[in-house]
């Protein structure tokens, strides 16, 4: 298990989980997990690490290709911005100030293509505002509607 805070390494992943690394390396170092098939059209299994509630997806060669953290208690920094459970409009403003284009939403997902980041939103029951519900990392944005 790796304790928060996590710092995103754009287009790379995290210090403890980098794109292209083998599944076996993560299974040895990240703790308890469960595997499931995210996509019924693909034989590849996703590993869900229960603490910190992070899923890692792998390609046909068992190399890391997608990271997802859906945990509203996560402390994940992109540059110097804490990303999780933050109002969407703040994320967009702060990342735009730093010179990044935020694209979306497309089916509820936003993207910062030059950083390999995707994020969604949920309604915060306390404030009624839309806040980020997690963060996903990709080595390269591939969804046409999420490209600048």
């Amino acid at each position: 298990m790796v304790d928060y805070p996590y710092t995103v390494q754009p287009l790379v992943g995290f210090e403890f989980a980098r794109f292209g690394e083998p599944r076996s390396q993560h299974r040895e170092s990240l703790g308890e997990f469960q595997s499931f098939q995210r996509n019924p059209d693909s034989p590849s299994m996703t590993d869900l690490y229960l603490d910190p509630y992070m899923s890692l997806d792998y390609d046909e060669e068992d190399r890391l290709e997608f990271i997802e953290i859906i945990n509203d208690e996560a402390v994940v920094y992109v540059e110097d911005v804490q990303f999780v459970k933050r109002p969407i409009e703040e994320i967009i403003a702060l990342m735009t100030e730093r010179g990044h284009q935020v694209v979306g939403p497309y089916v509820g997902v936003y993207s910062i293509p030059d950083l390999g980041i995707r994020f969604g939103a949920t309604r915060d029951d306390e404030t009624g505002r839309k806040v980020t519900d997690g963060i996903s990392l990709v080595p390269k944005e591939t969804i046409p509607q999420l490209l600048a």
Side-chain angles (χ1 to χ4, degrees):
M1 181 179 86
V2 180
D3 293 326
Y4 292 121
Y6 298 166
T7 300
V8 170
Q9 296 178 357
L11 308 174
V12 173
F14 294 111
E15 183 176 320
F16 57 86
R18 297 169 187 254
F19 297 119
E21 291 178 337
R23 180 189 307 262
S24 59
Q25 179 176 329
H26 303 134
R27 285 184 170 178
E28 288 176 16
S29 64
L30 296 179
E32 185 180 352
F33 67 92
Q34 295 176 355
S35 294
F36 68 96
Q37 191 171 7
R38 186 189 300 266
N39 180 352
D41 297 328
S42 170
S44 183
M45 299 296 285
T46 296
D47 288 349
L48 173 65
Y49 290 87
L50 305 176
D51 183 15
Y53 208 71
M54 170 179 62
S55 64
L56 303 180
D57 290 50
Y58 298 86
D59 63 17
E60 308 78 37
E61 297 174 0
D62 255 4
R63 300 288 180 175
L64 184 62
E65 67 177 359
F66 182 75
I67 301 169
E68 181 177 44
I69 297 176
I70 303 269
N71 177 348
D72 65 5
E73 295 180 15
V75 180
V76 179
Y77 287 94
V78 176
E79 296 180 357
D80 61 344
V81 177
Q82 202 309 88
F83 233 72
V84 180
K85 205 167 183 185
R86 187 165 208 158
I88 290 291
E89 63 271 8
E90 284 182 22
I91 293 289
I92 292 169
L94 290 166
M95 297 314 291
T96 300
E97 285 174 12
R98 287 158 179 76
H100 304 291
Q101 183 176 11
V102 179
V103 180
Y106 171 68
V107 294
V109 176
Y110 295 83
S111 172
I112 306 174
D114 66 321
L115 299 177
I117 293 171
R118 296 177 188 160
F119 57 99
T122 190
R123 185 178 168 279
D124 184 336
D125 290 334
E126 293 177 22
T127 66
R129 296 171 80 181
K130 282 187 175 181
V131 297
T132 52
D133 61 0
I135 186 169
S136 299
L137 309 180
V138 293
K140 179 182 179 187
E141 184 55 72
T142 58
I143 299 173
Q145 294 87 344
L146 292 177
L147 289 168

